[in-house]
Amino acid sequence: MYIENINGPADVKKLNIAQMTVLASEMRDTLLTRLSRHGGHFGPNFGMVEATIALHYVFESPKDKFVFDVSHQSYPHKMLTGRKDAFLYEEHYDDVSGYSSPHESEHDHFTIGHTSTSVSLACGLAKGRDLKGEDGNVVAIIGDGSLSGGEALEALDYAAELDGNLIILVNDNDMSIAENHGGLYQNLRLLRETGGKAECNLFRAMGLDYRFVADGNDIASLIEAFKAVKDSTQPVVVHIVTQKGKGYAPAEQHKEAWHYCAPFHPETGEPLMDMSGECYESITLDFMMKKMQADPSVCMITSGTPTVLGFTEEMRKKAGRQFIDVGIAEENAVALASGIAANGGKPVYGVYSTFIQRAYDQISQDLCINSNAATIIVAWGSVYGMNDVTHLGLYDIPMLANIPNLVYLAPTTKEEYLAMLDWSIEQKEHPVAIRMPGGALVSDGKAVTKDFGRLNTYEVKEKGAKVAVIGLGSFYPLGEQAAALIKEKTGVQPTLINPYYITGVDTDLLESLKADHDVVITLEDGVLDGGFGEKIARFYGDSDVKVLNFGLKKEFLDRYDVDEVLKDNHLTAEQIAEDVKKVL
Amino acid sequence: MYIENINGPADVKKLNIAQMTVLASEMRDTLLTRLSRHGGHFGPNFGMVEATIALHYVFESPKDKFVFDVSHQSYPHKMLTGRKDAFLYEEHYDDVSGYSSPHESEHDHFTIGHTSTSVSLACGLAKGRDLKGEDGNVVAIIGDGSLSGGEALEALDYAAELDGNLIILVNDNDMSIAENHGGLYQNLRLLRETGGKAECNLFRAMGLDYRFVADGNDIASLIEAFKAVKDSTQPVVVHIVTQKGKGYAPAEQHKEAWHYCAPFHPETGEPLMDMSGECYESITLDFMMKKMQADPSVCMITSGTPTVLGFTEEMRKKAGRQFIDVGIAEENAVALASGIAANGGKPVYGVYSTFIQRAYDQISQDLCINSNAATIIVAWGSVYGMNDVTHLGLYDIPMLANIPNLVYLAPTTKEEYLAMLDWSIEQKEHPVAIRMPGGALVSDGKAVTKDFGRLNTYEVKEKGAKVAVIGLGSFYPLGEQAAALIKEKTGVQPTLINPYYITGVDTDLLESLKADHDVVITLEDGVLDGGFGEKIARFYGDSDVKVLNFGLKKEFLDRYDVDEVLKDNHLTAEQIAEDVKKVL
């Protein structure tokens, strides 16, 4: 096989077009086997095989620099830049991450996992090159789905200001993760339909040169186009049309389902694991569908990840105009929600913890200064969530919990979660975020009668003495376990508290603990710095009560083992009980 | 005068065009007098007088809803919606804020102060209307300068998805605060030059209908255009060309200088106060100009506010290609800086505290995960900074200080500030942010020999006992005063510490304090929640050392009196000394 002999771009350059076509086929076979066993991003990589080969054939990486947007389509690039073993041999599958990484190769220039960043980063590489008086090409490779993000649009606008080489390869497969949303996609369609000849052209309107390639899975056409723009002395867009999932029938037919895959049977495409069963996503979907049916002013918003809360294509259709996908555009999603709430609607925006980071200013300015009653469901904010360094769910508490006016809630069970969601949708006073618990769904079947409108009122679940355990959200069960162990080890029955509110301190309750408690411990599923526990430490700073904060160290973890991380951070019940014993 | 009889939009509707033209002239006279005495946004308001009159003539506010982008051009709107007294009579000048505010009037729908938010918020109002099955027009009024912001571009893209009324009034005066930057401004120019007829049209490329008005200061043309789009059943852009600062010669000629004005002589335009003298902006300019001359790889980045670090038009020209204005596009600015650093350049991005909020994800993902050595200067992060609710500089510590890998520094003097800046530019290891001190410049003339590469090493400036005072950045002088008072009141000489690092804790030093200190106090110029002091409180949580954190309460202040706010937050030296005395 050719692929076995590709140790770097120089080996690609030795091949002719027929050989490169065979190579493409080998690469797809290799990807299929790996993805069927290991899971990963399917559609984006299957579509980009030919373009990646052509890039390495025409350009001189690493002197010429490629920046892959999201970089979930960089598997073919890794295969051609000395990392083929991680795709060919199962024992090496975990040698590489699913994203570009300078730690792996000189052909990768950034660790990237969020969308819409490539053009901006590439502009930076180009500007750095020009400041130093060097030469070389810089190529940003961005999918059509990523174009709707503010950072990408800002950078497309800025790119025209560069007076040196920059190539923006727009990989248009007419799909985001789900279908695209937004007016610019009408223009991409027009460009596809006119062979790139339409006068009205988004990229030209942004001041950029433009070139069109009708078949972006044809190596010869791609090579011709790349040669034509190589060493261009000004920014230029190359718009190529590719097929997402190309070469694997199920992925060609069901593009959304095959954007990302878990391990599956390569013959049938059926997943190896049973993915059904009740989870926080499915109960959210059920709850919201009923809510929307009962009240036409309720609506659900997503920014390009509709399945984050279970909304499949079928369910989106059923929800009709009450389901809003703004495309990858988190800033717009938050401001839109604020506007809907300001005009009497009841918006619920569902978003992953790692992506809510993209809307800090909108949450602060558009939403919280205006105190509009929109709801944000923050999903996968947990050590049990995604574990790539670019997709961690460990920072949403410090980011959100210190914004004035926001009520950030941490449910510990299914029942609390749904009660909070219902309260939040119906109230008119506060912007509310709800941290969907990480890990397995916990259900105790108990009716929740708490009035969440009485802000910052914690609940004593079990009254004890000497030690109080405040277990936040998904770490409440850990608090229960730790309390039991503390009792076992010391004979002391700790008070067990469910705080519910991340954004505020129950000063009355905390004050009352001083009477018969010496130690208060806090547990939170995120980094400690700027988080929940530190607020409790500050409260007791001038008192004799000792406070121990349990949570994660401020650092960027990458592809971690949960149990190891918990242990490293003293987050097993055993460790917590031991630490408490030491200060008692 | 007509203006004296305008108590709401109904009174505008009674006038004919000749009378409205007189009204416009009266409004400019009124604005000139008020601005010459009170200061405020000049150019944006002088340009928008006619368009505002025409809006209120044609539409039915508040049923029809106007959303002003930034809302710094909303003075004429305020004058026509029952708030004329705040412009006509000096004793009422402070009855209104400089931005739109629902607390002032039913004609204002949001408190707005940041750019690029109007289209998104207006989409929300429109969607809320449609969900409830109501009718009415929603009009977003956005300046050309604001179009470059990601949130605005995301919303322009999304707007085409709405299937109801939305009018986007693009007020094109061919200026941002300074000149525009970005490729889309080439398209606006083309549209102006072709009377809106060019086929290549950014707005049409975003899927929107489009209408052009050549003279946006002509009431008759505006009324005609607004009547034509009123009750439109789909989103439409009305592109009007106005003159920034129209009607006042100095402002027409020097648009950048007259974007915002301090009180001035109305005859000459000369400011009433002497604005010269050394300040943090001017020393940054001097330092950076020398640095850039000596090293061509150093560059300065701004996102549409070049004078934040003293870069006037003259200085920008002098810096040449080493000065980069990306336009209003904070996300692009940060990612660009990361890219420049990744390719060997030495970028310094200067930005106001309130606007760095717009780039949280870029700081975390594009910059800090990649550990690129870019420098961010955070200006006006202080209680002594801007005091409108939309422009507070009180939240940057919680936002930045909890992002892994970032080194956030707090200088206390001019000398420390410049030493940190120099260190940051020359080092290759860390993304660094420097919090330019608020309040008056402090200079002690002392050479700074500290190696800032030894992260999280605090400095004991005066060794005492029992009490330690950790004074962060611009509150260090307050720490000195408090320490002196504590000595006076209690006889105890406190240890005085300059921590330098906001992002980390000097565990060795803090540990050593336990030996002979009972109380540690922290002082920070920002909100306490998620801030610096809480990290210290957490550190000492399991010990007998008491910790008192001094800083501001988490809340949205608005147009506050600094002394009152300091007093309310126990931030006078006297209050601090009293609080310490109580726990000693």
Side-chain angles (χ1 to χ4, degrees), chain B residues 273-291:
Chain B
M273 289 175 295
D274 178 15
M275 310 289 268
S276 64
E278 194 172 61
C279 60
Y280 281 103
E281 286 78 3
S282 69
I283 63 166
T284 309
L285 173 70
D286 293 345
F287 178 86
M288 287 303 301
M289 286 303 288
K290 279 190 199 117
K291 200 84 192 165

Side-chain angles (χ1 to χ4, degrees), chain B residues 217-280:
Chain B
N217 292 110
D218 177 61
I219 293 176
S221 310
L222 292 164
I223 288 175
E224 188 194 339
F226 295 164
K227 280 186 172 168
V229 298
K230 190 179 178 185
D231 300 324
S232 162
T233 56
Q234 59 189 45
V236 56
V237 168
V238 181
H239 179 187
I240 71 172
V241 180
T242 65
Q243 186 178 10
K244 195 167 180 175
K246 186 179 174 74
Y248 186 62
E252 289 180 5
Q253 284 152 35
H254 305 285
K255 292 189 171 67
E256 181 175 344
W258 284 89
H259 174 78
Y260 186 93
C261 68
F264 61 94
H265 293 284
E267 289 77 28
T268 63
E270 291 300 312
L272 297 185
M273 289 175 295
D274 178 15
M275 310 289 268
S276 64
E278 194 172 61
C279 60
Y280 281 103

Side-chain angles (χ1 to χ4, degrees), chain B residues 59-87:
Chain B
F59 294 98
E60 319 293 331
S61 178
K63 193 199 170 194
D64 292 337
K65 296 175 174 30
F66 305 144
V67 185
F68 290 91
D69 207 89
V70 203
S71 80
H72 62 342
Q73 79 290 55
S74 63
Y75 300 2
H77 166 75
K78 294 196 180 197
M79 295 168 87
L80 302 180
T81 50
R83 286 168 281 183
K84 65 178 192 313
D85 290 359
F87 294 83

Side-chain angles (χ1 to χ4, degrees), chain B residues 127-313:
Chain B
K127 185 74 192 178
R129 172 199 63 204
D130 296 343
L131 286 170
K132 292 184 298 169
E134 296 175 352
D135 57 10
N137 292 270
V138 177
V139 186
I141 296 119
I142 183 165
D144 53 316
S146 294
L147 289 178
S148 60
E151 188 177 354
L153 290 164
E154 286 185 357
L156 279 179
D157 177 44
Y158 169 70
E161 295 260 325
L162 286 175
D163 57 356
N165 170 281
L166 178 75
I167 297 160
I168 300 169
L169 180 59
V170 175
N171 170 33
D172 181 1
N173 57 30
D174 195 20
M175 279 296 282
S176 186
I177 296 177
E179 74 284 355
N180 282 312
H181 286 274
L184 76 84
Y185 297 100
Q186 297 175 26
N187 190 246
L188 293 193
R189 188 188 315 128
L190 177 68
L191 290 171
R192 289 196 302 272
E193 288 170 0
T194 58
K197 294 198 170 59
E199 285 285 327
C200 189
N201 177 316
L202 176 71
F203 306 107
R204 291 195 193 276
M206 288 288 199
L208 298 165
D209 285 351
Y210 175 83
R211 193 181 173 96
F212 181 77
V213 177
D215 185 351
N217 292 110
D218 177 61
I219 293 176
S221 310
L222 292 164
I223 288 175
E224 188 194 339
F226 295 164
K227 280 186 172 168
V229 298
K230 190 179 178 185
D231 300 324
S232 162
T233 56
Q234 59 189 45
V236 56
V237 168
V238 181
H239 179 187
I240 71 172
V241 180
T242 65
Q243 186 178 10
K244 195 167 180 175
K246 186 179 174 74
Y248 186 62
E252 289 180 5
Q253 284 152 35
H254 305 285
K255 292 189 171 67
E256 181 175 344
W258 284 89
H259 174 78
Y260 186 93
C261 68
F264 61 94
H265 293 284
E267 289 77 28
T268 63
E270 291 300 312
L272 297 185
M273 289 175 295
D274 178 15
M275 310 289 268
S276 64
E278 194 172 61
C279 60
Y280 281 103
E281 286 78 3
S282 69
I283 63 166
T284 309
L285 173 70
D286 293 345
F287 178 86
M288 287 303 301
M289 286 303 288
K290 279 190 199 117
K291 200 84 192 165
M292 289 195 283
Q293 273 157 12
D295 183 345
S297 71
V298 176
C299 65
M300 186 81 222
I301 301 172
T302 183
S303 45
T305 59
T307 55
V308 61
L309 298 180
F311 279 81
T312 58
E313 197 173 348

